[in-house]
């Protein structure tokens, strides 16, 4: 486990965990690139829309867990940071029992509500699939307790900085989310059977998390549950739950509006660009997973350490994400045309560009979100979410009927801009202004990145041959990295890059361990 105060050890541990999480994000993405065109063609637009809804529910069941998954991660990391290891089993068992109870209740509620959900979502052209849709939703409901309990178990491993073990399970599970539908289509399986196989994979993952948590943290049982501790965790987790209830709305409400007003086929034209951009946001996701428990562990550290923990990841994200953003802005039509065909390129190019801008802002803001919640102020983000939800719904209701799926993407971009600005302001409040002066110090780097993206988008807009545009993109990116390296890096950045390369080389032959925290 990382010890507070060891700057070099801290940075090395965070770098290693971030690389592990990055690999864990990239591998499923590679499978998705191969699988999605085959799955869409095999299932058809309507059934793929239903599969998208199943992925949505499986990915966001945690909003039913009263925030206890996130609370367990914070409380365990904080206890480990203070050396109070005897509290770890108490936190974990309290969270597990509560999540099992509420997961079961939520599953029963979803089974009962499934017929209403089917008729609320499906349009007239796809009501013929209502039988399949009803089976899919009721099957997915069975996964609620599994996903919720798994979140606390994986959170315990994250709090102990055992991201090696987390990714040993998470990578196969996330890969299976695309590999199972691909195999199912090739084998001629029905959509309900494919969904049941996805649930079976989640059940296997739950068993794996339980095994590794016992090996890492030690034994625990029902006797470790504490009602008094539950009150403390609910005090923290209640605000996480508010965000948990609002985040799915902010993430996917436009999908339901598209499906109900434009049809399931239109949902596919929106969902695929969304999946492309969201799955490519691997680095922000990897950093967020690493930084949340790190902020909890180091909340009592010096101001300089907190600034380091907050400022450098933002700098690295800016530099890493700027070329990705330019790639989507300049080559959106080419990506869709050569990967998914002319129909998708014609319908979804502008959607992909707008969503790329939204995910760029969201990616940079992930560091601030980890800081706000990791430092014990989830109420701040929850209050921001409460403001954003009605704003997003109003924007979607106004823009989708007028501009179709492009309007949905525009609504997403506007609310993401509000969210990012709000998060960066809230970091100062959550840290009691211990983290100050970080964002102004990034003004030069931010300006350079903005000029690179704007100039590159303008230059690459001309109808040159694709190979020429790719070479121009590469030349502009090399020039951008050279300027950043010369003007905006210091010795710590260069040392961090050297450490990262060394860790990456060592990971090529690294053996997954199961040592105790």
């Amino acid at each position: 486990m990382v010890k507070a105060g060891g700057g070099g050890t801290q940075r090395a541990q965070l770098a290693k965990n971030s690389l592990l999480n990055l690999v864990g994000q990239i591998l499923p993405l590679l499978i998705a690139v191969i699988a999605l065109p085959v799955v869409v063609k095999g299932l058809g637009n309507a059934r793929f829309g239903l599969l998208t809804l199943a992925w949505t529910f499986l990915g966001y069941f945690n909003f039913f867990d009263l925030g206890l998954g996130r609370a367990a991660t914070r409380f365990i990391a904080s206890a480990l940071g203070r050396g109070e290891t005897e509290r770890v089993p108490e936190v974990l068992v309290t969270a597990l029992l509560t999540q099992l109870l509420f997961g079961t209740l939520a599953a029963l509620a979803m089974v009962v509500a499934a017929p209403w959900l089917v008729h609320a979502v499906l349009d007239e052209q796809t009501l013929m699939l209502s039988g399949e849709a009803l089976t899919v939703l009721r099957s997915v409901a069975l996964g609620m307790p599994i996903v919720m309990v798994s979140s606390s178990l994986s959170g315990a491993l994250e709090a102990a900085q055992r991201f090696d073990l987390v990714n040993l399970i998470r990578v196969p599970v996330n890969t299976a989310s695309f590999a199972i539908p691909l195999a199912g289509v090739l084998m001629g399986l029905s959509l309900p059977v494919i969904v049941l196989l996805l649930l079976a994979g989640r059940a296997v993952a739950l068993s794996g998390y339980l095994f590794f948590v016992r090996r890492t943290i030690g034994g625990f049982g029902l006797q470790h549950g504490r009602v008094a501790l539950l009150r403390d965790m609910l005090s923290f987790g209640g605000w996480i739950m508010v965000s948990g209830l609002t985040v799915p709305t902010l993430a996917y409400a436009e999908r339901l509006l598209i499906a109900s007003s434009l049809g399931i086929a239109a949902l596919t034209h929106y969902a695929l660009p969304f999946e492309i951009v969201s799955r490519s946001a691997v680095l922000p996701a990897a950093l967020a997973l690493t930084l949340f428990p790190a902020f909890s562990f180091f909340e009592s550290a010096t101001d300089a350490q907190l600034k380091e923990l907050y400022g450098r990841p933002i700098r690295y994200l800016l530099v890493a994400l700027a070329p990705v953003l330019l790639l989507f802005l300049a080559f959106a039509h080419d990506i869709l045309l050569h990967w998914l065909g002319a129909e998708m390129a014609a319908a979804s190019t502008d959607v992909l560009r707008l969503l790329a801008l939204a995910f760029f802002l969201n990616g940079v803001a992930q560091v601030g979100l980890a800081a706000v919640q990791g430092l014990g102020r989830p109420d701040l983000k929850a209050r921001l979410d409460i403001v954003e939800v009605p704003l997003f719904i109003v924007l979607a209701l106004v823009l989708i009927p007028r501009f179709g799926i492009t309007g949905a993407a525009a609504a997403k971009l506007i609310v993401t801009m509000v969210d990012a600005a709000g998060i960066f302001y809230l970091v100062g409040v959550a840290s009691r202004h211990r983290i100050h002066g970080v964002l102004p110090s990034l003004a030069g780097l931010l300006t350079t990145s903005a000029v690179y993206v704007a100039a590159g988008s303008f230059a690459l807009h001309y109808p040159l041959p694709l190979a020429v545009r790719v070479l121009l993109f590469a030349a502009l990116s090399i020039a951008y990295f050279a300027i950043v390296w010369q003007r905006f890096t210091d010795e710590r950045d260069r040392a961090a890059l050297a450490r990262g390369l060394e860790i990456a080389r060592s990971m090529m032959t690294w053996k997954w361990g199961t040592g105790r925290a």
Side-chain angles (χ1 to χ4, degrees), residues 377-397:
R377 293 301 307 271
D379 58 305
L380 299 176
K381 180 59 167 65
R383 291 187 175 102
L384 179 60
D385 290 337
I386 291 172
V387 173
E388 291 172 358
V389 165
L391 171 63
F392 182 47
I393 292 176
V394 169
L395 287 170
L397 287 173

Side-chain angles (χ1 to χ4, degrees), residues 306-326:
L306 281 181
K307 287 181 183 179
E308 179 86 2
L309 192 60
Y310 176 61
R312 289 191 185 273
I314 294 179
R315 292 172 58 192
Y316 298 155
L317 280 177
L318 278 173
V319 175
L321 294 182
V324 178
L325 174 60
L326 177 56

Side-chain angles (χ1 to χ4, degrees), residues 123 125 257-267 400-401 403-406:
D123 59 3
Q125 294 179 339
L257 292 174
I258 289 170
S260 60
S261 61
L262 303 179
I264 288 289
L267 175 59
I400 289 175
F403 300 105
I405 58 175
T406 303

Side-chain angles (χ1 to χ4, degrees), residues 139-481:
S139 299
V140 166
L142 298 176
M144 278 186 163
I146 296 173
V147 173
M148 290 168 62
V149 170
S150 295
S151 71
S152 281
L153 292 172
S154 64
L157 293 172
E158 291 172 2
Q161 298 293 315
R162 292 311 306 267
F163 287 93
D164 53 342
L165 304 181
V166 172
N167 283 289
L168 187 59
I169 298 173
R170 184 174 288 158
V171 171
V173 169
N174 291 342
T175 300
S177 295
F178 299 102
I180 288 176
L182 174 61
V185 166
L186 295 177
M187 296 171 62
L189 301 180
S190 66
L191 180 60
V193 172
I194 291 173
V195 172
L196 285 175
L197 290 174
L198 290 174
L199 293 178
R202 297 301 179 104
V204 173
L206 173 61
S207 301
Y209 282 131
L210 182 60
F211 173 79
F212 283 133
V213 167
R214 287 190 174 277
R215 292 289 302 273
T216 301
I217 291 177
F220 54 86
L222 296 178
Q223 73 276 11
H224 289 108
R226 298 289 184 270
V227 175
L229 181 58
L230 178 61
R231 289 195 294 268
D232 294 336
M233 295 178 68
L234 287 176
S235 178
F236 177 91
W239 289 109
I240 295 289
M241 183 183 67
V242 173
S243 290
L245 290 168
T246 56
V247 164
T249 303
L250 294 169
Y252 291 109
E254 78 276 23
R255 294 194 182 196
L256 297 178
L257 292 174
I258 289 170
S260 60
S261 61
L262 303 179
I264 288 289
L267 175 59
T268 296
H269 290 151
Y270 180 86
L272 282 173
F274 189 97
E275 290 296 326
I276 292 171
V277 178
S278 64
R279 298 293 174 177
S280 67
V282 290
L283 183 56
L287 277 175
L289 286 172
T290 305
L291 290 173
F292 172 69
F295 275 110
S296 297
F297 190 91
F298 290 104
E299 63 180 327
S300 299
T302 66
D303 292 2
Q305 285 176 313
L306 281 181
K307 287 181 183 179
E308 179 86 2
L309 192 60
Y310 176 61
R312 289 191 185 273
I314 294 179
R315 292 172 58 192
Y316 298 155
L317 280 177
L318 278 173
V319 175
L321 294 182
V324 178
L325 174 60
L326 177 56
L327 179 69
F328 281 122
L329 293 178
F331 296 97
H333 185 270
D334 303 279
I335 292 171
L336 293 171
L337 176 65
H338 293 290
W339 186 36
L340 296 171
E343 178 187 353
M344 189 66 65
S348 304
T349 294
D350 290 337
V351 171
L352 181 55
R353 287 171 175 154
L354 291 171
L355 291 177
L357 283 166
F359 273 89
F360 173 80
L361 294 173
N362 179 262
V364 177
Q366 287 302 306
V367 177
L369 177 59
V372 170
Q373 294 185 338
L375 292 173
R377 293 301 307 271
D379 58 305
L380 299 176
K381 180 59 167 65
R383 291 187 175 102
L384 179 60
D385 290 337
I386 291 172
V387 173
E388 291 172 358
V389 165
L391 171 63
F392 182 47
I393 292 176
V394 169
L395 287 170
L397 287 173
V398 170
L399 295 176
I400 289 175
R402 186 170 181 179
F403 300 105
I405 58 175
T406 303
K412 177 75 71 180
L413 175 58
I414 294 171
V415 79
T416 303
M417 293 169 64
V418 174
D419 184 67
I423 286 174
F424 285 124
Y425 169 77
L426 294 176
V427 169
V429 179
S431 66
R432 299 182 298 276
H433 304 290
R434 297 174 63 197
I435 302 175
H436 59 83
V438 172
L439 292 184
S441 69
L442 298 175
L445 177 59
L446 183 59
T447 302
T448 301
S449 301
V451 170
Y452 158 70
V453 173
S457 298
F458 178 80
L460 295 168
H461 178 71
Y462 288 97
L464 300 171
L466 179 59
V468 175
R469 294 167 62 226
V470 170
L471 290 174
L472 180 57
F473 169 78
L476 289 171
S477 299
I478 292 171
Y480 168 70
F481 286 128

Side-chain angles (χ1 to χ4, degrees), residues 47-83:
R47 284 189 173 85
F48 182 79
L50 293 178
L51 178 61
T52 298
L53 292 178
W55 280 335
T56 300
F57 283 119
L58 284 175
Y60 282 87
F61 277 154
N62 291 341
F63 63 77
F64 288 103
D65 77 344
L66 305 179
L68 289 176
R70 203 71 163 167
T73 303
R74 168 170 164 76
F75 275 61
I76 292 173
S78 182
L80 291 172
R82 297 191 304 269

